[in-house]
Every structure is written in C-alpha cells, then in structure tokens.
Amino acid sequence: MLCRVTLSGLVAASVVTASFDRNLAYSSPSRRHPSLAVPLAHVSKRQTGELFAPAEVNFTHGVASGDPYADSVILWTRLSPTVDSVASDLVPGGVAPIYDDAEGAQPSSKAACVEFKIATDQALTDVVDQGRAYTTSDVDYTVKFEAGGLQPFTTYFYQFNVCDSDKVSPLGRTKTTPAKTQKVDQNIRLAVYSCSNYPEGYFNAYGNPARKDSVDYVLHLGDYIYEYEPDSSLPNRNPSPNRETYSLYDYRARLGSYRTDADLLLSHAQFAWIPVWDDHEVANNAWKNGTENSSGDVFRRRKQAAVRAYYEWMPLRQADMDDSLRVWRSFGFGTLFDLAMLDTRQYDRDLTVLGGIAGLGGNSAEVEKQVDWQNRTVMGFKQEQWFYDQLRESSQRGAAWRVVGNQVVFSRMTLGILGDTPFNRDQWDGYLANRDRVYQCLEEGKINNTVMLSGDSHASWVSDLAWLGKRAYDEDTGKGAFGVELAGTAVTSSSPVGGTPKFAANLLSQWLISQNPELQWQDLFYRGYFEMSIGYEAIKATFFGISDVKKRSDDEVVLAQFLINSGENRLARNPTVGGGRAKSGALKNGRVDIF
Ligand SMILES: *[C@@H]1O[C@H](CO)[C@@H](O)[C@H](O)[C@H]1NC(C)=O
Ligand SMILES: *[C@@H]1O[C@H](CO)[C@@H](O)[C@H](O)[C@H]1NC(C)=O
Ligand SMILES: *[C@@H]1O[C@H](CO)[C@@H](O)[C@H](O)[C@H]1NC(C)=O
Ligand SMILES: *[C@@H]1O[C@H](CO)[C@@H](O)[C@H](O)[C@H]1NC(C)=O
Ligand SMILES: *[C@@H]1O[C@H](CO)[C@@H](O)[C@H](O)[C@H]1NC(C)=O
C-alpha cells in the first residue's frame, strides 16, 4: 500500500497539507523501479521544509492535458524555478532542470507547492475537482494530476496556482471522451501529428487547429523531440543541451526547450493530447536492443533516462510500466470508434536497419535476410496479441470504426527499380510476417472500418490497405482492400527529398503512385498535419500543408481531402479518389493543381 508522504510536519503552520504522491510525475513511469521513479521517502527526508516563494517559480512551459477518459483526464504543468544557480542559460525563456545523477548535480532541498482546479466554466467558478501537491528537482519540477469526477464528452477549463498565492498558470481547456456505450451526436475531430524537429522550423502546424478551434483531441504519433546535436540554420532555434541527448538531464532539457514553442504551448493548452513515442524520443532507429549508435548498457541507461523524462513532461497515463516500459494503450470514444495507440518502435521490436539500404552497407544485409522470418515482430508478440484482441473486441462491441495510431508506415512502399522490393525496412516493410498477421486478423475477424494512422516518414501517403500478393486488389475501384491508411507528413522535419522544388517533388510522387498500386495520394513537398472528422457514416480526412516552416505564421494550404464511407473498407471514389483534385503531390486517376 502506498503511504501518503507529506511535508506538513516540516513547513510553516500557515501551509495547508500537500502531498508528493498526488503528483503522478514521481512515478514516471513506475514507482516499482528505482531507476524509473523517485522513492518518496527519500524525497521527503531530504526536504528541509523550505518552499519556493511564488516569485521564485514561473509557469514557463504552460499547461497541458492528455489521455482523456470519460470521467478523468491528466493535467500537467511545471513550476520552473526563476532562480537557479545551475545552468540557467540552458533553456530559452526558462530555467533548466538541475538534477541528474549522471551529472553529479545535487538535488535541491526546496519544494514547490502547487494547486489545480478544474471547472465547467472559464471563470473557474463551477469547480469539479481540485487538489494540491509538491514538486521538486527529483521530477524536474513537473506536476501531473489526474482530475476526476468528470462528465463524459464535456469541455472543462483548468488552472494551476502556487499554493496560497495568486500566482497562476495560463488557463487550460480539455475534453473528456464519450462514455463507452454513448451514441455520439456529433462528429469527433482529431488533429494528427508526427515528427516535430525544433531546429528545422516553427511548429505552426500545432498552432493552426488551436487558432481555428477545429478539433476535439490531438494525436501525436511520435518524434515529438529529436535527440540530435542542434544544428539550426534559424536564429534561436537550437534547443538545449548543445549536444546529442544521452542523460536524464539531457532529455529533460531537450523537452523543456521544445516546450517553449508558442504554437506547441497553444495546442497543449487547448486540447487533450494522446501521444505515443517513435524512435527519436530515445534515439534514431531504435529497436528493442539498441539505436543507431547506442547499444548495451549505454543504450539501456539512455532509454531509461529518455522514458523517465518523457513521462515527467508528457500528459499521459502509465499503461503498465512494469511491462517493458509499455506505452501502448487504448481509448474508447462512445460507440463511434475505438483508438488503439501502438508502440511499433521501443517495446519489443526485432532488429531494424541501422545503416545502409537494400542490403548494401551498415547492417542492412542482415535485416534483408530476416524480413520474412515468421518469428519476427515489430511490436512484440504480447502487444500483437493485445492488438488483435482490441480489433476483435471493438468490432464485436459494435464500435463503428477502429482507428489505429501507429508510428511507421504500414503499406508496402517500393521504388519499382528492383522489382517490387521495398526500400525502407525500418517500416512495416521490414516485418512482413507481422503485417500478414494483421491482415489475417482483419480477414478472419471480418473486421470492417479500420483506419491506420502513421507518421515517421516526413511525407504523406494515403493508401487502401491492400494485402498485396495474398488477396486480389483493384487499384481503380479499391475492391479487395481491408481498410485505409492515412500516413501524415512531418510538423517540421525535412522531406526525404528535402530542398527539391515542388514540381520535381511532384514528379517523384507521380513515379511513386505509378509503382505502388494501393498508394492513392502521395506528397513529398509539404510539412504539415492532417485532421479527421469521424462520423458514423463516414470519415473525412483533410491534409494541410504549411507554406513555410522557417517563419512563424498561420499560413496553410488544404492539400487534399479524402472520404472513407462506412462499410467500404477503402477510400471513396467520388468519382475518383480525393474528388479527383489535389494541390500538391500526385493523386491516382486525378489531377494536381499546379498553383
Ligand atoms: C513565465 O511564464 C510565462 C508563461 O506562463 C512566460 O510567458 C514567461 O516568459 C515566463 N517568464 C520567465 C521569466 O520565464
Ligand atoms: C550518432 O549517429 C549519427 C548518424 O550516424 C551521427 O551523426 C552522430 O554523430 C552519432 N552520435 C554519436 C554521439 O556518436
Ligand atoms: C542485445 O545487446 C546485448 C548487449 O549489447 C547483446 O549481448 C545481445 O546479444 C543483444 N541481443 C540481440 C538479440 O541482438
Ligand atoms: C527465427 O526464424 C529463423 C528462420 O526460420 C531462424 O533461423 C531463427 O533462428 C529464429 N530465431 C529465433 C530466435 O527463434
Ligand atoms: C463487414 O462488412 C461486410 C461487407 O459489407 C459484411 O458482410 C459483414 O457483416 C461486416 N462485418 C461486420 C462485423 O460488421
């Protein structure tokens, strides 16, 4: 049983009791593992009882909410010390984290006390839940509350303040999910993101749905941060620390820098997020036993640091962190849809490509040899089983749609120059048996209305889910498909053909759709995001391109729009896919407007 550890005996009599254990950041991600959480007894023993004065802390990194349920949601903020003797120049606009074992820095003996309240109104008068807790350097001064007692599919407003003071955070807004059996009386709208590389540009894509107030929830499919040594060509766009991230200190500082982008702060403050990680939350081309340039103990320590910092900084729940740092989890949105958020990257992925291409260079010959092994998996067999159970249960309970948040592109992708050999084995193309098992599950379970969402690739790929080589598929009508894949481009990370002018990039897209029958729209040129509007009869997906990520702006272009009609398991042809028009890239049987 968890005991309630408080500072009340130590601090001045005027301070009302707060606790450490209401702050979920202390179990980031799991209290049962010494390297992955903070033993509260140690924290409270070390505290002198001294609290930061309101003027000594600031809500520099804004507020955030996430992992909405029908009756609760996670609320996040950070009490950034404004006076900090260590490395105060590390985070633009704020103060860096100051404690990390590896760096030998001493934890601070001072605590900050914070309160939250959540209400149905913007003036915060109709308060539904409130609470207070401490935060310390042990958790990088982050704060995570679970706000409870909420009504389903309802908008709430929340705010934090330094205890017993009028120093308040920005106001946040959030929304619970519909109750599982609820019929949803309006479309549910999502914004879907991946690959936000801070040095490469401004996060305009995050800000636009907030400015338009166009969605209900935000999904992030990973690469929320990048671990690389900063190398921005833009002024003030080099995040801390000034090196590739390895330590807990590094990952905290990196997350702290990213969380100063004004558009990211806006999105976090306005929408409940449902995030998962991809590789760069740890390091490039991660798999279960390493990354591009870390393995063994270095990798294990690096991953622990990265995961711990992620859980401190992100508004997500702990799924079952005793299970190999499991992040995969699911959400129900009434009878409208179920959302499975997968981890095809860090949980239990078999060997990936760590250099070289198509069997040449790096370890790619070794990977090439393994791609069709039956015992190979991108998710780990435990997660696979869970995923197939989720799909079946969701279909059996009669949820209208199954939406799958996933990292790497699912559909086959070939350049057509070596037969139909795929060119990126770091995607599902490197895990063929696992992909076959997904199709088999959809077929045997007669599971309809599955929409796969993907990121990671820095380009847009909209495909019918076609089981190529196994089941007949008609690329013109979509007959034979099992669903749809919507793979979105990056928030800022550069295109695989970065720097290529639009007309040339569009010619390459034209080549790609000619070589890949299931690929119906492809674009390499634009950075951006997509929105989904999910109704019982149909899903509409709208892809937005950001005109210029090198400056902060709300300019965006509607690149293409797609419809998925319930029961059809393919992109609607109306009369051709995407209505026959796109603003960039290449559209099968359609035209692309040049201007
Ligand atoms: C304090 O936080 C606010 C956001 O709540 C931010 O705009 C401001 O720049 C921060 N001030 C400092 C000194 O970090
Ligand atoms: C990690 O690998 C990348 C790509 O090969 C390289 O640029 C970087 O310098 C490496 N970092 C370290 C610390 O070895
Ligand atoms: C995982 O890494 C360890 C240490 O680097 C190594 O001994 C082991 O063989 C690796 N396992 C696999 C499956 O590569
Ligand atoms: C996986 O399957 C391949 C090919 O059948 C086999 O060579 C390999 O030893 C198997 N690996 C494990 C860990 O069973
Ligand atoms: C899926 O769709 C097919 C064809 O429209 C239909 O025959 C089948 O009953 C549907 N399955 C479920 C579980 O709704």
Side-chain angles (χ1 to χ4, degrees), residues 274-301:
I274 302 178
V276 282
W277 52 53
D278 190 10
D279 48 340
H280 292 285
E281 279 82 355
V282 179
N284 190 35
N285 286 20
W287 63 295
K288 70 179 173 193
N289 210 27
T291 68
E292 181 180 50
N293 50 24
S294 48
S295 62
D297 275 351
V298 171
F299 164 68
R300 267 189 293 282
R301 280 208 306 273

Side-chain angles (χ1 to χ4, degrees), residues 102-393:
E103 303 270 321
Q106 286 307 301
S108 165
S109 60
K110 258 177 153 180
C113 181
V114 63
E115 294 175 309
F116 84 94
K117 56 182 164 205
I118 186 166
T120 54
D121 61 324
Q122 223 161 326
L124 302 172
T125 54
D126 180 22
V127 174
V128 182
D129 193 15
Q130 55 191 317
R132 59 160 70 195
Y134 296 117
T135 183
T136 55
S137 60
D138 306 272
V139 289
D140 198 16
Y141 302 106
T142 57
V143 179
K144 271 166 88 169
F145 285 105
E146 181 181 15
L150 310 180
Q151 295 301 308
F153 206 36
T154 301
T155 296
Y156 289 95
F157 299 88
Y158 63 95
Q159 193 167 44
F160 300 89
N161 64 281
V162 178
C163 294
D164 307 311
S165 86
D166 55 9
K167 175 128 192 180
V168 295
S169 73
L171 185 70
R173 190 186 72 175
T174 191
K175 192 172 201 166
T176 50
T177 56
K180 206 145 182 189
T181 53
Q182 190 176 339
K183 175 140 173 40
V184 182
D185 56 10
Q186 67 205 72
N187 282 18
I188 291 184
R189 301 154 309 163
L190 310 175
V192 186
Y193 296 104
S194 60
C195 306
S196 32
N197 191 334
Y198 191 90
E200 293 200 74
Y202 289 90
F203 295 161
N204 302 331
Y206 288 141
N208 286 352
R211 283 182 277 272
K212 294 181 291 182
D213 202 7
S214 53
V215 300
D216 300 294
Y217 310 98
V218 165
L219 266 48
H220 201 291
L221 305 177
D223 293 348
Y224 179 87
I225 57 164
Y226 281 73
E227 81 281 13
Y228 298 127
E229 182 176 346
D231 59 350
S232 185
S233 59
L234 296 167
N236 306 318
R237 251 352 237 192
N238 277 322
S240 302
N242 191 20
R243 56 175 180 267
E244 192 172 320
T245 54
Y246 277 87
S247 69
L248 180 56
Y249 176 91
D250 292 344
Y251 284 101
R252 286 169 166 176
R254 188 56 58 91
L255 281 155
S257 287
Y258 273 58
R259 203 68 76 71
T260 56
D261 179 279
D263 286 310
L264 177 56
L265 292 179
L266 195 59
S267 176
H268 273 306
Q270 273 206 42
F271 302 120
W273 276 47
I274 302 178
V276 282
W277 52 53
D278 190 10
D279 48 340
H280 292 285
E281 279 82 355
V282 179
N284 190 35
N285 286 20
W287 63 295
K288 70 179 173 193
N289 210 27
T291 68
E292 181 180 50
N293 50 24
S294 48
S295 62
D297 275 351
V298 171
F299 164 68
R300 267 189 293 282
R301 280 208 306 273
R302 186 181 203 180
K303 183 166 172 177
Q304 277 175 3
V307 168
R308 183 164 155 187
Y310 186 80
Y311 273 86
E312 288 168 352
W313 277 82
M314 298 300 284
L316 81 169
R317 297 169 191 267
Q318 290 113 280
D320 176 3
M321 300 312 301
D322 293 325
D323 178 5
S324 304
L325 309 180
R326 166 182 166 180
V327 74
W328 39 276
R329 62 204 193 281
S330 62
F331 299 84
F333 292 79
T335 57
L336 185 56
F337 71 101
D338 287 314
L339 172 68
M341 295 298 274
L342 306 183
D343 179 357
T344 57
R345 181 57 78 174
Q346 309 281 357
Y347 178 66
D348 201 13
R349 177 196 258 240
D350 282 317
L351 183 66
T352 195
V353 185
L354 304 168
I357 189 168
L360 301 170
N363 71 337
S364 71
E366 195 183 343
V367 171
E368 211 58 36
K369 208 170 62 196
Q370 299 184 10
V371 288
D372 57 0
W373 285 4
Q374 289 304 307
N375 56 13
R376 201 169 144 76
T377 169
V378 75
M379 301 161 68
F381 291 110
K382 185 168 175 190
Q383 186 184 181
E384 272 194 50
Q385 192 56 60
W386 170 87
F387 179 39
Y388 307 144
D389 289 345
Q390 291 286 314
L391 290 172
R392 275 190 293 264
E393 283 163 20

